[in-house]
């Protein structure tokens, strides 16, 4: 078990939760200021961060 990858995966999942909450609470503001690209970019970066966090979590249990 790789502790460094495990902690990094938890960090990425936490950042994903923060991004998704921010995008949900500020959807109208983002849409008014940046058009559809504002909420879409927050969603995209959140999905990328979450996917990377899940992959790091899986890889943290692989043997080196």
């Amino acid at each position: 078990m790789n502790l460094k990858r495990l902690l990094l995966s938890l960090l990425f999942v936490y950042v994903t939760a923060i991004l998704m909450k921010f995008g949900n609470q500020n959807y109208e503001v983002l849409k008014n200021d940046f058009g559809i690209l504002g909420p879409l970019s927050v969603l995209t970066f959140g999905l990328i961060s979450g996917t990377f966090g899940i992959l790091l979590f899986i890889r943290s249990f692989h043997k080196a």
Side-chain angles (χ1 to χ4, degrees):
M1 184 166 106
N2 192 342
L3 187 60
K4 182 179 177 183
R5 281 189 181 170
L6 182 63
L7 292 175
L8 198 59
S9 72
L10 292 176
L11 177 71
F12 272 100
V13 170
Y14 183 68
V15 167
T16 300
I18 291 172
L19 275 173
M20 293 300 182
K21 185 176 179 183
F22 173 78
N24 188 26
Q25 290 178 346
N26 299 312
Y27 175 77
E28 291 297 327
V29 174
L30 288 169
K31 189 173 179 188
N32 289 337
D33 290 345
F34 303 107
I36 194 66
L37 285 176
L40 190 61
S41 65
V42 170
L43 176 67
T44 303
F45 291 131
L47 288 175
I48 290 170
S49 175
T51 304
F52 192 66
I54 291 170
L55 287 175
L56 277 176
F57 183 77
I58 292 170
R59 290 179 186 163
S60 69
F61 291 103
H62 284 195
K63 291 189 176 187

